[in-house]
């Protein structure tokens, strides 16, 4: 069955998979039991995220609310009760399609394409603060930079916003052609790579070094530069000539900063300092007919990078 | 002493002074806007819109509207003064109904209510004057009668009951505002969960404020109508006799149903209420926003005058509570967002090379956390000793695991857990021999009364118990299980273990008892009276402690501890890469010990009844109830803080000197099994 969402635990070898039947399974490399999470409000799961700096708290973006599962990491039960789930709901905030935890683990951001406000939740007290803007629709994609300083919020229109996470002010970035499809941050939060619907390019936006004195400013550079052109090119491979290229569906940057994986089955090797360069290092060949939908790097793999497709 | 108090006052004035002034200035500046809206809405005439708009704009320029605005500014100033005098960063939560009544009857609160009632009357007078029409004057000429005989050269002056109604409704609304202010703990200043610019915070809260005022005004008008219906004749008669006015017999008196069912009257009173509430709530909101804004405390003083204001000094002295809150909030923010200030914290003093800043900060945070640990342990003991029925199974299950075997590693680990129980059950062992207490099952009946008695008893036992323990004395603790564990086993399992420990316990108990025979007889009588009274429902209605309120009261200042935890853990995590002199490493064992002990105590506390149930959340209300769920935030941030340290340090933590049981727990955290 196809998967709706996938999420690696940030510190251990554990991942959660959301299936089409609205149940979530948690697979753990150290344990044989596979807990299956079900709740009556857990419908149309769009995204999941494990809480950083925690053993097992999973936030799930559902149709009408955000469910936060508090699982017992040592329990052997295969059906945790619905009592373990905390329901975070706010009137008008549905369907929730995207979530992001702060890397310091204390705040959860949730957003919906139908709501022109992002919610910043304090999960333990169930208090939320609305960050509102006018016009431009809701939010389709959220990504918090790994150093905790900035948040990318892409909207359905040709505009995306980058918020800074100290005083919560934002910068608007209008794109020329289409909406921002996906984006990912470098591990130190200084660079944002994003792609736009309708163009087979990867753009890069750099932000000034965060010194802590730039209160209230995002500090982004004035223009985004193009770093990779992914239009169709042909490559000589042992299997014959191949044409590969096209639009970027989703991107992830691995936690060591060395590799960027882009779904069109191309893997680039990156080196972020001193000069930023993007060199294609290899292609992953999938099976015939298999469509890659989601990719994620294992966040704490010690021996390099483990990519899950 | 004098100097200290004077310094504190000047510090308070320095930090809080401009905030209060700015809040008052802005609320006064927003007043003309509210007044204009009021004048426009009070002249509501949907059938002649153009005339309505032009009349309203003409009215806005008249002198009496300007005079009313000035009068309202004075009112806002007085209200703001009361906001400043009554604010509290730690809410006072009444635990029983009697405490709530006591709070209402307190002289300070009475002054608050009286002044607010008078201010309400002033606002209503302004509103009546601006509404014009039949509300404008208190005394109007009486309607002339038709018969010619009654024609007099000077018409008599009659009481305008509409005006009186307005004034009294204003006073009533002022009084109700004050009462709700007290009951809803609106003097509590909640600190925001994210930092935002003040303008954005105000703009975000404004629609909710307007909606809340409209709804509340409806309730107030309804209540006032009911009150006026029953008691309206009293002020009417009093005013007419004092001011020598006649009561107009031609018009309907307002304290009848026919008089009150008057839509324009209702509308204008409601609008007056909305005007009053909006202006007062705006003043309150602006004060809240300004007072809880983050303040930047310098770490290293650059000038000599600033030494009193620097962060380590403020934390270590005993500043007014709001300054301490602001300092801890600043610590939390600098530890997360400011590498420059972090460097100042980790720096060494010149000359001498002592890490004064770090020592001061870490010492204060650790003492705050140990304080909380002690408080929670005391609460648990009180709860466990308050009658058998209150002992939750969660605590008891630990003691049967402690067998007679002593001296093993597990024993010392369990000794921490069983420490609290043997002490409590020791006292409950002694209790039956001293007095016949009828434990009422399943209620808080005995709680407000038996705890002082019991605490005094444990006081006696404390002096003879070998382990009058503080948290930081592991050696004394390890001796505990040998004697008391078997005593507790006797208590719980009901089986007969070695008679020796029991005899010792009983002997120890009796030694304490004998010299205080009169005392125990008095205690006996006291308990009997209390048991008798506890059967009276009415007494219990007032005296019984609400469990949820008592729990909230324990954690009412937990915001300080949350910030201390976050600040400390972020600094420790940052020190892994940023600390050049290794100042943090020497304090790491103490920090880990405190955090792990606190975590254990909090986990145990959450097993008590009522603690882990969340109070229902009311979203979309102006009243802030975040103090009710502070304990959950504390538990979550405590866990996150420990994980932050273990994630950053990883396996290096195994080299840190901590006690064996703590090492085990650290291992659990390193493996993400907690």
């Amino acid at each position: 069955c196809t998967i709706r969402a996938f999420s690696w635990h940030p510190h251990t070898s554990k991942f959660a998979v959301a299936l089409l039947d609205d149940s979530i399974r948690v697979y753990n490399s150290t344990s044989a039991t596979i807990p299956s999470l079900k709740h009556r409000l857990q419908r149309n799961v769009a995204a999941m995220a494990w809480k950083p700096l925690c053993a097992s708290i999973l936030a799930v973006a559902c149709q009408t609310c955000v469910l936060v599962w508090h699982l017992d990491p040592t329990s052997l039960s295969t059906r945790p009760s619905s009592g373990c789930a905390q329901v975070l709901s706010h009137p008008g905030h549905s369907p929730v399609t995207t979530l992001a935890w702060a890397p310091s683990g204390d705040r959860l951001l949730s957003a919906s394409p139908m709501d022109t406000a992002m919610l910043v939740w304090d999960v333990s007290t169930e208090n939320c603060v609305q960050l509102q803007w006018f016009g431009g629709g809701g939010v389709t994609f959220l990504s918090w930079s790994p150093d905790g300083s900035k948040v990318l919020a892409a909207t359905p229109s040709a505009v995306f916003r980058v918020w800074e996470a100290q005083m919560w002010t934002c910068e608007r970035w209008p794109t020329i052609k289409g909406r921002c499809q996906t984006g990912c941050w470098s591990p130190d939060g200084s660079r944002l790579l994003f792609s736009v619907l309708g163009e087979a390019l990867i753009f890069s936006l750099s932000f000034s070094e965060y010194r802590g004195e730039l209160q209230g400013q995002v500090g982004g550079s004035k223009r985004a530069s193009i770093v990779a052109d992914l239009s169709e090119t042909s490559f000589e491979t042992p299997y014959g000539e191949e044409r590969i290229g096209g639009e970027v569906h989703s991107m992830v940057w691995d936690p060591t900063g060395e590799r960027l994986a882009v779904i069109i089955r191309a893997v680039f090797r990156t080196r972020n300092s001193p000069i930023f360069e993007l060199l294609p290092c290899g292609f992953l060949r999938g099976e015939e007919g298999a469509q890659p939908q989601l990719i994620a790097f294992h966040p704490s793999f010690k021996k390099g990078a483990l990519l899950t497709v | 002493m004098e100097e200290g108090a004077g310094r504190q006052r000047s510090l308070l004035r320095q930090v809080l002074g401009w905030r209060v002034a700015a809040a008052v200035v802005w609320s006064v500046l927003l007043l003309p806007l509210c007044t204009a809206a009021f004048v426009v809405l009070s002249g509501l005439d949907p059938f002649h819109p153009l005339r309505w708009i032009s009349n309203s704009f003409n009215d806005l320029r008249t002198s009496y509207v300007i005079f009313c605005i000035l009068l309202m500014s004075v009112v806002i100033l007085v209200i703001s003064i009361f906001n400043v005098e009554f604010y509290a960063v730690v809410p006072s939560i009444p635990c029983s109904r009697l405490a709530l009544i006591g709070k209402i009857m307190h002289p300070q609160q009475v002054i608050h209510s009286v002044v607010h009632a008078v201010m309400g009357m002033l606002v209503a007078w302004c509103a009546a004057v601006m509404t014009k029409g039949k509300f404008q004057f208190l005394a109007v000429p009486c309607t002339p009668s038709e018969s010619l005989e009654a024609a007099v050269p000077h018409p008599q002056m009659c009481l305008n009951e509409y005006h009186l109604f307005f004034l009294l409704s204003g006073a009533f609304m002022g009084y109700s505002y004050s009462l709700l202010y007290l009951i809803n703990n609106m003097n509590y200043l909640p600190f925001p969960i994210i930092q935002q610019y003040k303008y954005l915070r105000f703009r975000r809260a404004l629609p909710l404020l307007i909606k809340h005022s409209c709804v509340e005004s409806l309730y107030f008008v309804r209540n006032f109508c009911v009150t006026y219906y029953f008691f309206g004749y009293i002020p009417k008669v009093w005013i007419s006799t004092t001011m020598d006015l006649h009561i107009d017999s031609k018009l309907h008196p307002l304290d009848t149903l026919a008089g009150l069912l008057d839509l324009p009257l209702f509308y204008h009173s409601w609008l007056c209420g909305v005007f009053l509430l909006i202006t007062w709530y705006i003043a309150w909101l602006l004060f809240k926003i300004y007072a809880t804004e983050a303040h930047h405390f310098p770490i290293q003083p650059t000038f000599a005058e600033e030494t009193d204001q620097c962060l380590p000094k403020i934390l270590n002295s005993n500043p007014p509570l709001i300054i301490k809150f602001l300092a801890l909030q600043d610590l939390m923010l600098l530890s997360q967002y400011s590498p420059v200030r972090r460097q100042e914290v980790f720096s060494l003093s010149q000359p001498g090379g002592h890490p004064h800043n770090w020592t001061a900060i870490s010492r204060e945070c650790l003492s705050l956390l140990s304080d909380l640990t002690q408080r929670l342990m005391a609460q648990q003991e009180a709860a466990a000793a308050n009658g058998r029925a209150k002992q939750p199974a969660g605590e008891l299950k630990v003691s049967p695991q402690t067998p007679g075997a002593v001296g093993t590693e597990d024993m010392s680990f369990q000794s921490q857990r069983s420490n609290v129980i043997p002490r409590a059950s020791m006292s409950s062992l002694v209790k039956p021999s001293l007095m016949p207490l009828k434990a009422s099952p399943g209620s808080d009946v005995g709680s407000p009364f038996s705890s002082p008695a019991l605490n005094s008893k444990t006081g006696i036992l404390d002096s003879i118990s070998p382990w009058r323990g503080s948290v930081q004395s592991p050696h004394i603790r390890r001796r505990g299980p040998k004697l008391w564990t078997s005593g507790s086993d006797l208590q719980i399992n009901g089986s007969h273990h070695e008679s020796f420990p029991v005899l010792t316990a009983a002997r120890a108990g009796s030694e304490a008892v004998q010299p205080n025979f009169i005392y125990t007889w008095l205690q006996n009588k006291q308990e009997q009276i209390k048991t008798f009274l506890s059967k009276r429902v009415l007494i219990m209605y007032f005296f019984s402690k609400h469990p949820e309120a008592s729990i909230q009261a324990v954690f009412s200042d937990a915001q300080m501890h949350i910030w201390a935890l976050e600040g400390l853990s972020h600094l420790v995590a940052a020190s892994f890469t940023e600390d050049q002199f290794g100042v943090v490493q020497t304090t790491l064992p103490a920090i880990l010990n405190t955090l792990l002990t606190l975590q254990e105590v909090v986990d145990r506390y959450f097993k008590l009844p009522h603690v882990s149930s969340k109070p229902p959340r009311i979203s979309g209300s102006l009243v802030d109830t975040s103090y009710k769920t502070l304990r959950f935030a504390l538990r979550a941030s405590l866990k996150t803080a420990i994980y932050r340290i273990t994630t950053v340090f990883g396996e290096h933590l195994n080299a840190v000197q901590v006690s064996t049981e703590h090492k085990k727990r650290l291992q659990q955290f390193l493996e993400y099994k907690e």
Side-chain angles (χ1 to χ4, degrees):
Chain A
C1 47
T2 47
I3 328 176
R4 280 178 182 271
F6 179 88
S7 175
W8 273 107
H9 189 277
H11 307 290
T12 57
S13 295
K14 187 154 68 168
F15 61 87
V17 175
L19 306 169
L20 211 56
D21 62 349
D22 287 332
S23 71
I24 295 179
R25 279 177 213 248
V26 179
Y27 293 86
N28 196 339
S29 66
T30 54
S31 129
T33 49
I34 302 174
S36 161
L37 308 174
K38 286 198 181 124
H39 195 279
R40 61 181 172 88
L41 291 175
Q42 192 172 281
R43 284 174 287 124
N44 289 335
V45 173
M48 289 192 299
W50 290 95
K51 180 173 168 179
L53 298 180
C54 200
S56 56
I57 294 186
L58 179 67
V60 180
C62 311
Q63 173 73 26
T64 50
C65 60
V66 175
L67 277 183
V68 181
W69 286 92
H70 296 258
L71 302 170
D72 182 359
T74 51
S75 128
L76 295 170
S77 98
T78 47
R79 273 298 292 272
S81 77
S82 313
C84 304
Q86 202 182 349
V87 179
L88 300 175
S89 69
H90 190 90
H93 194 72
S94 80
V96 185
T97 52
T98 169
L99 287 177
W101 282 100
S104 56
D106 45 8
R107 302 283 173 258
L108 173 66
L109 268 182
S110 75
S112 156
M114 311 290 286
D115 191 1
T116 54
M118 269 189 335
L119 293 182
V120 184
W121 291 94
D122 179 4
V123 176
S124 45
T125 56
E126 299 187 13
N127 279 337
C128 68
V129 171
Q130 281 181 301
L131 296 172
Q132 203 143 24
W133 59 87
F134 300 106
V139 172
T140 50
F141 180 75
L142 273 180
S143 172
W144 207 310
S145 72
D147 68 335
S149 60
K150 294 179 271 290
V151 180
L152 164 73
T155 66
S157 58
V159 145
F160 66 90
R161 290 183 178 83
V162 179
W163 298 81
E164 52 89 18
Q166 195 181 351
M167 298 296 285
W168 294 96
T169 57
C170 71
E171 262 185 18
R172 272 177 95 247
W173 284 88
T175 63
I176 303 174
K177 275 219 177 135
R179 66 182 174 96
C180 170
Q181 175 86 0
T182 182
C184 59
W185 292 93
S186 69
D188 62 352
S190 64
R191 197 172 284 275
L192 171 67
L193 293 179
F194 63 94
S195 77
V196 165
L197 191 68
E199 297 198 32
L201 300 166
I202 299 181
F203 294 90
S204 150
L205 198 55
S206 67
F207 294 88
S208 44
E209 262 304 303
Y210 195 69
R211 289 237 165 266
E213 308 308 328
L214 289 176
Q215 255 204 22
Q217 293 173 41
V218 182
S221 58
K222 297 291 174 212
R223 290 197 50 192
S225 47
I226 301 175
V227 289
D229 189 339
L230 297 175
S231 39
E232 279 203 20
T233 43
S234 52
F235 291 90
E236 283 292 329
T237 69
Y239 301 98
E241 211 179 274
E242 294 251 359
R243 298 195 66 84
I244 298 183
E247 289 175 23
V248 176
H249 182 66
S250 85
M251 287 197 286
V252 284
W253 201 317
D254 93 316
T256 58
E258 284 182 15
R259 288 182 188 78
L260 176 76
V262 178
I263 279 190
I264 33 170
R265 284 175 287 151
V267 177
F268 292 87
R269 190 185 185 86
T270 73
R271 202 166 42 139
N272 202 3
S273 60
I275 319 158
F276 183 64
E277 50 182 328
L278 209 51
L279 314 158
C281 85
F283 294 100
L284 295 178
R285 199 174 177 78
E287 300 164 359
E288 277 307 315
Q291 293 262 353
Q293 285 179 317
L294 308 156
I295 47 172
F297 273 107
H298 188 304
S300 58
F301 196 68
K302 300 210 176 20
K303 303 189 192 75
L306 176 66
L307 180 65
T308 323
V309 180
Chain B
M1 282 297 275
E2 295 290 321
E3 257 184 50
R7 254 208 308 268
Q8 285 197 2
R9 264 200 302 276
S10 79
L11 184 62
L12 201 60
R13 219 186 347 255
Q14 238 167 352
V15 175
L16 212 54
W18 70 266
R19 294 174 180 225
V20 169
V24 171
V25 164
W26 274 106
S27 15
V28 167
L29 283 178
L30 288 174
L31 206 49
L33 233 76
C34 300
T35 321
F38 175 76
V39 167
V40 168
L41 282 175
S42 67
L44 187 69
D45 194 358
F47 300 114
H48 306 102
L50 288 173
R51 193 171 67 183
W52 168 35
I53 303 278
S54 61
N55 274 351
S56 307
F57 279 117
N58 285 337
D59 285 339
L60 281 175
R61 287 193 299 237
T62 50
S63 59
Y64 57 86
V65 168
I66 310 244
F67 175 71
C68 285
I69 292 183
L70 287 174
L71 191 58
M72 287 289 299
S73 314
V74 173
V75 167
I76 294 287
L77 193 64
V78 172
I79 301 288
S80 302
I81 291 177
F82 271 88
N83 280 340
V84 172
E85 287 300 313
F86 277 75
Y87 79 88
V89 280
V90 173
S92 69
I93 302 171
C95 294
S96 59
R97 284 188 191 81
L98 192 68
L100 181 63
I101 294 179
K103 211 170 141 185
I104 296 178
M105 305 288 203
H106 196 270
Q108 261 188 337
Q109 180 57 34
V110 170
I111 296 178
H112 190 265
S113 305
V114 165
V115 172
H116 276 76
V118 170
M119 293 297 128
M121 201 181 283
L122 276 178
V123 174
W125 182 84
C126 291
V129 161
M130 289 194 287
T131 309
K132 298 183 299 181
K134 58 188 178 186
F135 296 100
Q136 205 168 13
F137 300 106
L138 185 61
V140 288
C142 299
T143 29
S145 67
E146 274 146 25
S147 72
L148 289 167
E149 303 151 29
V152 284
H154 297 288
Q156 289 175 323
M157 296 306 278
C158 277
L159 176 68
N160 181 5
E161 205 169 350
Y162 291 102
H163 190 93
L164 184 67
F165 184 86
F166 239 61
L167 290 184
L168 291 175
S169 80
F172 182 80
M173 288 190 200
Y175 177 72
S176 314
Y177 172 88
S178 163
L179 207 60
L180 281 182
Y181 188 88
L182 175 79
I183 294 177
N184 289 334
N185 267 324
M186 288 181 69
N187 61 339
Y188 170 60
L189 290 180
F191 283 82
I193 62 175
I194 58 172
Q195 300 297 314
Q196 271 189 305
Y197 287 114
K198 295 187 285 281
Y199 166 67
L200 291 173
R201 281 178 68 187
F202 179 72
R203 200 184 70 185
R204 202 181 74 224
L206 204 55
L208 184 61
L209 187 147
I210 294 178
K211 190 182 95 158
H212 183 93
S213 307
C214 293
V215 171
E216 211 171 62
S217 179
L218 267 179
Y219 285 117
F220 284 172
V221 171
R222 178 200 70 180
N223 294 346
F224 178 67
C225 285
V226 169
T227 321
Y228 194 78
Y229 180 75
F230 289 114
F231 301 112
Y233 66 93
I234 303 173
K236 238 190 341 186
V237 166
W238 183 71
I239 296 263
S240 55
T241 41
T242 5
M243 294 181 60
D244 199 21
L245 296 167
H246 296 267
I247 300 206
D248 200 332
S249 48
K250 297 289 186 306
L251 301 171
H252 282 298
L254 275 183
D255 58 345
T256 56
L257 267 177
L260 282 174
L261 286 177
D262 186 1
L263 195 61
L265 176 70
F266 194 79
Y267 172 74
H268 283 109
S269 324
W270 173 78
L271 198 64
C272 166
V274 171
F275 178 59
L276 183 148
L277 288 173
I278 286 186
T279 45
W280 288 8
Y281 277 134
I282 284 182
W284 167 80
L285 180 70
L286 283 171
F287 173 67
K288 248 186 10 170
I289 290 177
Y290 269 93
T292 55
E293 192 194 4
H295 188 264
H296 186 284
F297 290 93
I299 305 219
Q300 305 271 43
T302 27
F303 306 107
E305 309 89 66
E306 269 187 17
T307 354
D308 273 345
Q309 277 201 50
C310 65
L311 193 61
K313 190 100 187 289
I314 287 188
L315 286 178
N316 274 319
S317 61
N318 211 5
L321 215 51
I322 188 166
I323 305 285
K324 191 151 191 178
F325 267 69
L326 287 172
L328 284 167
Q329 185 184 47
D330 192 39
L331 176 70
M332 187 262 298
L333 289 173
L334 80 87
S335 66
Q336 288 190 37
Y337 297 115
S338 182
V340 174
R341 295 175 77 199
R342 284 201 295 262
Q343 274 305 102
E344 287 182 20
V345 173
F346 296 140
S347 63
L348 301 175
S349 68
Q350 301 282 358
H354 299 291
H356 287 303
N357 296 332
W358 170 251
T359 320
I361 291 177
S362 61
R363 186 171 54 211
E364 179 57 28
C365 293
L366 291 180
S367 81
L368 267 176
L369 297 173
S370 320
D371 238 1
L372 181 66
T373 316
Q374 296 282 25
R375 216 192 310 163
L376 290 180
M377 286 177 73
Q379 281 281 314
Q380 280 171 10
E381 290 178 21
N386 265 340
R388 233 58 104 239
K390 272 200 91 142
Q391 262 178 341
E395 278 189 324
L396 295 181
K397 80 174 190 295
V398 181
S399 4
Q401 292 171 17
T402 60
V406 292
T408 59
E409 285 276 294
D410 281 325
M411 200 49 184
S412 49
F413 176 49
Q414 301 292 356
S415 70
Q416 279 186 13
R417 292 183 188 266
S418 53
N419 228 1
V420 176
I421 302 146
R423 192 173 177 186
S425 42
M426 177 63 205
S427 35
S428 42
L429 255 186
V430 179
K431 239 179 25 187
S433 60
L434 291 181
M435 60 194 168
L437 176 73
K438 290 176 234 155
S440 328
S443 72
D444 311 332
V445 159
S447 49
F449 304 124
S450 54
S451 29
L454 204 54
N455 283 341
S456 54
K457 229 175 305 307
T458 54
I460 301 169
L461 296 175
D462 268 350
S463 53
I464 53 161
S465 81
W467 46 271
R468 195 174 18 155
S470 68
V471 181
Q472 276 89 14
S473 48
H475 301 292
I476 301 177
R477 201 183 261 157
R478 277 175 223 264
R479 269 192 297 166
K482 286 193 189 148
L483 191 57
W484 305 129
T485 322
S486 28
S488 71
D489 274 343
L490 178 79
Q491 161 76 38
I492 292 142
N493 299 336
S495 60
H496 204 64
H497 281 242
E498 309 123 34
S499 51
F500 172 65
V502 182
L503 276 178
T504 325
R507 206 185 326 139
S510 57
E511 270 168 10
V513 165
Q514 254 165 4
N516 303 319
F517 179 67
I518 304 282
Y519 174 78
T520 54
W521 180 82
L522 275 173
Q523 287 292 317
N524 220 352
K525 282 293 153 208
Q526 214 175 2
E527 284 304 322
Q528 281 179 352
I529 294 174
K530 280 172 189 166
T531 327
F532 170 73
L533 281 178
S534 69
K535 297 237 175 61
R536 301 285 159 269
V537 173
L538 197 62
I539 303 271
M540 286 333 294
Y541 180 77
F542 284 111
F543 281 91
S544 61
K545 277 200 179 176
H546 194 243
E548 174 67 29
S550 328
I551 296 167
Q552 285 171 18
V554 174
F555 286 98
S556 54
D557 63 349
Q559 182 66 67
M560 278 202 294
H561 304 92
I562 295 172
W563 281 332
L565 282 168
E566 290 184 7
L568 204 59
S569 63
H570 272 113
L571 282 172
V572 171
S575 77
F576 191 69
T577 44
E578 294 177 12
D579 182 12
Q580 297 165 321
F581 305 111
V583 302
V584 173
Q585 284 177 30
T586 45
T587 50
L588 204 49
I591 294 176
L592 287 174
N593 273 327
T594 319
L595 290 181
L596 289 168
T597 319
L598 179 60
Q599 210 250 329
E600 209 178 313
V601 171
V602 165
D603 271 346
R604 239 189 339 206
Y605 188 81
F606 266 79
K607 294 198 171 77
L608 292 179
H610 301 290
V611 185
S612 47
S613 50
K614 277 206 167 108
R617 183 178 137 236
I618 321 161
S619 63
S621 160
L622 200 62
V623 173
D624 189 287
T625 52
S626 59
Y627 61 87
K628 295 190 178 174
T629 45
L630 272 176
R631 59 188 187 269
F632 302 103
L634 179 74
R635 181 171 61 160
S637 66
L638 178 56
K639 227 181 200 158
T640 309
I642 301 180
Y643 268 116
R644 194 170 288 133
I645 298 181
T646 55
T647 310
V648 166
F649 280 81
E651 294 300 319
H652 298 284
L653 276 183
N654 290 329
V656 177
Q657 292 286 347
V658 283
S659 59
T660 5
E661 55 262 30
H662 282 160
K663 244 197 196 5
K664 277 205 197 66
R665 303 212 68 196
L666 268 181
Q667 195 55 35
Q668 298 263 42
F669 274 98
L670 282 169
E671 292 171 10
Y672 293 92
K673 284 211 166 71
E674 270 291 324

